[in-house]
Amino acid sequence: MSDTLPSLSHLDESGQVRMVDVGDKADSDRIAIAQAAVRMNPQAYGLLTQPGQGKGEVLNTARVAGVLAAKRCAELIPLCHSLPLSFVGIEFSLDDQAQRIEIRATCRTRYKTGVEMEAMTAASVAALTIYDMCKAADKGIVVEQIRLAYKAGGKSGEWRND
């Protein structure tokens, strides 16, 4: 166990905001998986999942939005580095009992810094896209449980959110 206390990497010694300098770090394979969920009332969920009602269109639109969000993460989160993403994937699973759409965003790169923020942004924007496309049927849709589920690569190695 290390005696070193954790620190906020985007603050310098005097507490001022800064972008982390990754210039001296070596490129390495990195992956991050983030999750989010969208919960809605039974009527809206029924409309979304009813055959011929556009589930494919809603989820495909959310998939594209999530990929685009990952690619533009550095434009949205002020201190993120622009990364050469080698893969962004968005998967959905439906929980009929809870009227939930679960989202899993995976990002990969070979670079000097991790892809956690890209995966989190992808999952978040995919969830918001589902909200946008279903809000006419339910103003009370809840976007919830946005979290990093897994990351690997770099100095800190592998981590799971169990």
Side-chain angles (χ1 to χ4, degrees):
M1 183 173 188
S2 172
D3 291 335
T4 306
L5 293 174
S7 64
L8 300 177
S9 61
H10 288 86
L11 298 179
D12 68 14
E13 300 77 28
S14 64
Q16 297 297 305
V17 68
R18 66 165 180 166
M19 187 174 199
V20 175
D21 185 353
V22 297
D24 291 335
K25 294 173 84 175
D27 287 357
S28 65
D29 292 324
R30 297 165 184 267
I31 184 171
I33 300 170
Q35 298 170 325
V38 180
R39 184 171 35 90
M40 57 189 70
N41 69 30
Q43 180 182 5
Y45 187 82
L47 287 170
L48 174 67
T49 58
Q50 185 178 28
Q53 283 294 313
K55 172 180 71 176
E57 291 300 315
V58 171
L59 298 185
N60 281 331
T61 302
R63 179 176 288 112
V64 171
V67 170
L68 290 174
K71 291 167 60 174
R72 299 188 76 175
C73 183
E75 295 174 36
L76 300 169
I77 310 295
L79 302 176
C80 280
H81 294 85
S82 296
L83 301 182
L85 295 171
S86 57
F87 175 78
V88 178
I90 311 289
E91 300 171 33
F92 302 98
S93 59
L94 303 177
D95 181 343
D96 294 337
Q97 183 128 7
Q99 292 90 44
R100 273 171 50 113
I101 300 98
E102 297 176 4
I103 302 159
R104 178 182 168 104
T106 302
C107 292
R108 283 196 296 265
T109 190
R110 178 166 184 77
Y111 196 61
K112 303 169 186 304
T113 189
V115 289
E116 296 91 345
M117 291 308 301
E118 288 73 12
M120 297 277 290
T121 301
S124 300
V125 170
L128 291 171
T129 301
I130 293 169
Y131 176 93
D132 182 49
M133 294 184 74
C134 296
K135 69 184 180 216
D138 180 7
K139 301 285 189 249
I141 293 172
V142 176
V143 174
E144 58 190 4
Q145 298 182 337
I146 299 168
R147 68 188 192 113
L148 182 66
Y150 176 80
K151 64 128 336 241
K155 184 174 70 171
S156 62
E158 189 174 38
W159 178 88
R160 291 183 193 283
N161 189 351
D162 294 326

